[in-house]
Amino acid sequence: MVPNQRQFESSDSFSAAVDCRTGARPAEELKMTSRRAGPPDGGYGWVVVTSAFFIMGLTAAVLKNFGVFFLDIQRHFGVLSSTASWVTSTTIAMFHLGAPAASVLTLKFSQRVVIIVGGLLTASGMLLASLDLGLPWLYLTMGALQGTGISFSWIPANSIVSHYFIRWRPIAYAIASSGECVFAFIFSPFFHWLIEMYSWQGALLIVGGLQLNLCVCGALMRPLETTRGSSQETKDAPEGNAAASIFQGSLLRKPEFILYILFAIFAAAGFFIPPLFLVPFANSVGMDKYWPASLLSVLALADLAGRLVCGWVANMRLLRNLQLLTMVVTLVGVVLLLLPISHNYWAIVFFTSLYGFLFGCMVAIHITAIVDIVTLEGFDSSLGMLMLFRSVGGFIGPPAAGWLVDETSDYSVAFYLSGLCLISSSVFVVLVDRLLQRRKPAEAEVHQADSSLESWDAKKRSSESFIEF
């Protein structure tokens, strides 16, 4: 017997009635919503990646080239290396300490709003620093304001790129982060020329004007619907629940995340030192004044190559992200221990290139590896907390290296300290990877049990609905 049209209509009415009773939406609507809310993995995402590319250049690349200003500031105020290095240390510390606030504001408002605010803060920091009202004034402006602005721009840019991509996330992040390398290559000789032409104060004024373009980049960041939904939920939630949605206590109870935080602390103590002391080290071995600045350009080009190559390798899934991270972090430490033995330009260029390439590999995967540990749902919260704890290493590393340089009158010790910190940090990555691999079989069993239970519940609800009908 062939069912007639009325029977079809009755069946449709029954389906709609079941949906009304259970509060569920039809399957087609659920699929459409999933498509709208899910990461597009392309499309406008590449505009977001391009905008993030410029954000990385106008924040991290500027910070990386603080070493160009280091000797001029030290001579101008007549202070020790350890005292002058507190400018950079304050910037690094505020960059990390501002990360949780950046995460909170990103979820409350949007990445677009926070990046625009960050652009205004970074530009204000440089413009006010150019007034040259004393070294403490530089700690406040070039240090605190600049660091907070970098945090408010860098954190949301990383967040939105991760949310726009799944399959292409490693290569998308590698392309976005490579803006730091491209701009660092350009900024190194450019900043040196600005100092020669307009003094270091005039150079800071011009750099501050350039950083206003962060506001334009922020305006291009179109938040996904899921991001806006999370923002609205945060607004509607009670104050305690809203805070819990940002700083998830369960993340700090995960031993693998705690170990990854320890990795970040030791790594931060090491990898902020070489860019700061590379130019002074080259000067100390008798290079002409323009050659040392060119080392930062070499470093930037090698860094760019490392990020793109490692992003491509990570996207191929030949190795686990944490395995790849362990290898490159260990090699970076070894190269830094060997760098001070070079005392001519080409030898220093070789080790600088090798360090830059491996450093780029490390940067390309150390943020995306967080998703492997806490999943995408916990990414924003974990990134803010990771940066907060990482500030301990970033705040201690450069001053400790500066103190060793003052005590020994030798810039080589700064690279020895950096190398040892990075090699030590790789031990924690190994432990994280082992914990995750041990936990996978247990999680698979739990997931299979949950799936079986859900299937049984679905069959039970279906039979009850049929009996009721």
Side-chain angles (χ1 to χ4, degrees):
M1 177 177 174
V2 179
N4 58 28
Q5 182 66 25
R6 247 178 222 184
Q7 285 176 309
F8 277 125
E9 290 174 356
S10 175
S11 177
D12 292 342
S13 301
F14 166 69
S15 299
V18 171
D19 289 338
C20 290
R21 285 195 301 270
T22 60
R25 289 176 291 178
E28 291 83 359
E29 187 179 346
L30 282 171
K31 288 178 182 177
M32 290 174 66
T33 304
S34 176
R35 280 199 294 270
R36 284 198 302 269
D41 237 344
Y44 194 81
W46 296 115
V47 177
V48 170
V49 168
T50 304
S51 182
F53 175 90
F54 283 94
I55 289 171
M56 300 300 175
L58 292 170
T59 54
V62 172
L63 177 57
K64 186 177 282 188
N65 278 280
F66 269 19
V68 177
F69 297 95
F70 183 81
L71 290 177
D72 292 276
I73 292 174
Q74 183 183 0
R75 293 192 194 109
H76 180 75
F77 292 105
V79 295
L80 297 172
S81 297
S82 55
T83 305
S85 65
W86 278 104
V87 176
T88 303
S89 294
T90 305
T91 311
I92 295 169
M94 292 308 299
F95 169 37
H96 291 82
L97 291 173
S103 295
V104 171
L105 294 173
T106 295
L107 291 171
K108 185 173 179 61
F109 300 105
S110 70
Q111 288 94 344
R112 174 181 289 163
V113 172
V114 180
I115 291 171
I116 291 173
V117 172
L120 294 174
L121 288 173
T122 52
S124 300
M126 285 301 202
L127 294 173
L128 292 172
S130 68
L131 298 177
D132 186 18
L133 300 181
L135 193 57
W137 179 251
L138 288 186
Y139 295 155
L140 176 63
T141 55
M142 197 174 173
L145 272 179
Q146 177 75 194
T148 305
I150 289 174
S151 183
F152 278 33
S153 301
W154 191 89
I155 294 292
N158 280 282
S159 169
I160 198 167
V161 169
S162 294
H163 283 286
Y164 259 88
F165 292 89
I166 294 179
R167 179 186 175 189
W168 300 106
R169 185 180 293 138
I171 193 66
Y173 180 76
I175 294 171
S177 67
S178 66
E180 176 185 339
C181 315
V182 173
F183 277 84
F185 174 75
I186 298 170
F187 283 164
S188 179
F190 179 58
F191 286 2
H192 198 282
W193 177 79
L194 287 178
I195 292 171
E196 290 287 320
M197 294 296 294
Y198 305 106
S199 77
W200 65 269
Q201 295 94 333
L204 293 180
L205 181 65
I206 295 170
V207 172
L210 288 173
Q211 287 184 315
L212 278 173
N213 288 289
L214 288 168
C215 299
V216 180
C217 296
L220 293 171
M221 294 297 196
R222 185 169 70 198
L224 288 169
E225 289 184 15
T226 51
T227 304
R228 288 197 294 270
S230 299
S231 174
Q232 187 62 40
E233 288 172 9
T234 303
K235 290 178 184 176
D236 295 341
E239 187 176 349
N241 293 339
S245 68
I246 305 303
F247 296 100
Q248 300 174 20
S250 59
L251 293 178
L252 290 176
R253 289 196 295 268
K254 290 172 72 76
E256 54 268 34
F257 184 57
I258 295 296
L259 289 170
Y260 202 72
I261 286 174
L262 291 173
F263 151 73
I265 292 172
F266 277 83
F271 66 59
F272 286 111
I273 293 173
L276 184 62
F277 289 96
L278 187 59
V279 171
F281 170 73
N283 281 318
S284 70
V285 296
M287 287 189 186
D288 294 332
K289 61 181 181 180
Y290 281 99
W291 287 112
S294 69
L295 289 174
L296 294 179
S297 297
V298 172
L299 178 64
L301 282 177
D303 189 353
L304 171 63
R307 294 183 194 221
L308 295 178
V309 169
C310 194
W312 175 67
V313 171
N315 220 84
M316 293 174 66
R317 308 292 197 272
L318 299 175
L319 293 170
R320 295 190 299 273
N321 284 335
L322 292 172
Q323 286 180 318
L324 195 57
L325 184 60
T326 302
M327 292 169 54
V328 296
V329 170
T330 304
L331 289 172
V332 168
V334 172
V335 169
L336 286 173
L337 292 176
L338 296 175
L339 190 147
I341 68 174
S342 51
H343 288 281
N344 64 75
Y345 178 73
W346 293 111
I348 294 177
V349 166
F350 171 76
F351 282 108
T352 299
S353 302
L354 195 55
Y355 159 70
F357 181 83
L358 294 169
F359 178 82
C361 292
M362 180 175 67
V363 171
I365 53 174
H366 85 288
I367 294 296
T368 55
I370 297 174
V371 180
D372 298 336
I373 301 171
V374 301
T375 72
L376 184 59
E377 287 74 18
F379 177 78
D380 290 329
S381 302
S382 60
L383 181 59
M385 286 188 283
L386 184 78
M387 298 296 288
L388 173 65
F389 289 109
R390 201 176 81 167
S391 65
V392 176
F395 196 65
I396 293 174
W403 178 79
L404 288 173
V405 169
D406 291 334
E407 291 294 313
T408 61
S409 300
D410 184 6
Y411 286 103
S412 298
V413 293
F415 295 95
Y416 296 144
L417 174 64
S418 178
L420 289 173
C421 288
L422 285 163
I423 291 173
S424 300
S425 71
S426 65
V427 175
F428 297 106
V429 184
V430 173
L431 294 175
V432 172
D433 189 43
R434 288 179 65 88
L435 279 176
L436 289 177
Q437 293 309 306
R438 285 182 180 178
R439 192 164 291 187
K440 274 187 177 180
E443 289 179 350
E445 290 178 6
V446 172
H447 179 70
Q448 186 176 1
D450 290 342
S451 298
S452 301
L453 184 60
E454 288 175 4
S455 177
W456 183 81
D457 287 341
K459 289 179 181 178
K460 183 180 178 182
R461 285 195 300 269
S462 178
S463 61
E464 288 175 352
S465 299
F466 179 75
I467 293 171
E468 183 181 348
F469 176 69

